[in-house]
Amino acid sequence: MLGYFPVFDLLGFGAIIRNSAPVERTERIESWLALVDEATAASPHLNRQVISDTLFMAADDSEAGLASVLDAARILLNRGMPASLPVRGAIVHGDYTWGERLTYGQAVIDAHELERSVEWVGVTCAADLPRVERFWDYDQLVVYPPPFKTGDIRLHPVLTWEVPRTRKLMSQLSSHGLMAAGETFRWEIGAKLNNTSQFGAYLSIARAKGLEPDRFKPFLPFRILEEAALESVPKHALAEQVK
């Protein structure tokens, strides 16, 4: 079958299992399943399959199919993060075979590889995803260089969502079993925090400046943040800094 195939992972699932008492663990798993139900309930175009901390979806090869995938992904992020259920996902287009016992195909492999290669809370689309031109909007998709763990810096369509401010995001990424009591904040979490916060800051500035969602001019997002910060500094203070 040809269509849209997203993969989503619940980040920190192993930590939740390790750090939670049995009753809390059951509650967290039920919260995850309820989030999946909420994300997929509104659309008749979606198939879904949950395997532990991984969620497969599939939608038909149409504009409505892509729209349903994007809507479901945004619910996972917007509703999941406040509940300390951080989701990282990828959306690809390709061939797959959907079955009750086993789902497989090139699209499954491509989505898994793309999802696992990015270090943040968010959803990355394949660079060649069909029909994305109909969804360029700051409430849908924007062009952005997702923070890949390795390899070239390259642009992709990425899903926009309500990224929390850094302080709140830090709390959400370390609560409800994602970190043990007294555990030190580690770079594995810090990198995701930093990259996710930077995306949120970029969205806020790009909206305010009226930048085109289907264009990304700076080589790195930090250039936009740096320019915005410098614009807010009085000119006489900048002059003192360069003396």
Side-chain angles (χ1 to χ4, degrees), residues 13 21 28 34 39 42 46 48 60 62 66 88 94-95 126 164 201 226 239:
F13 186 74
R28 297 293 284 150
L46 286 174
R48 69 98 182 271
D60 55 75
S62 67
L66 178 55
R88 181 179 63 202
D95 289 305
E226 180 185 55

Side-chain angles (χ1 to χ4, degrees), residues 106-185:
Q106 189 60 48
V108 182
I109 296 170
D110 292 344
H112 253 307
E113 290 180 348
L114 180 58
E115 179 268 319
R116 292 176 65 85
S117 67
V118 186
E119 191 77 294
W120 69 351
V121 178
V123 174
T124 308
C125 299
D128 59 350
L129 196 72
R131 301 183 181 90
V132 292
E133 69 278 358
R134 304 174 197 182
F135 294 90
W136 294 130
D137 186 274
Y138 277 102
D139 292 322
Q140 292 283 352
L141 294 174
V142 297
V143 170
Y144 188 79
F148 287 97
K149 298 173 183 177
T150 60
D152 297 335
I153 297 172
R154 53 192 188 271
L155 298 175
H156 283 253
V158 301
L159 187 82
T160 66
W161 60 290
E162 299 165 10
V163 183
R165 294 290 181 90
T166 301
R167 182 177 294 182
K168 182 176 290 187
L169 186 62
M170 181 182 293
S171 173
Q172 293 166 346
L173 283 173
S174 58
S175 303
H176 300 289
L178 290 172
M179 289 178 60
E183 184 179 357
T184 303
F185 214 91

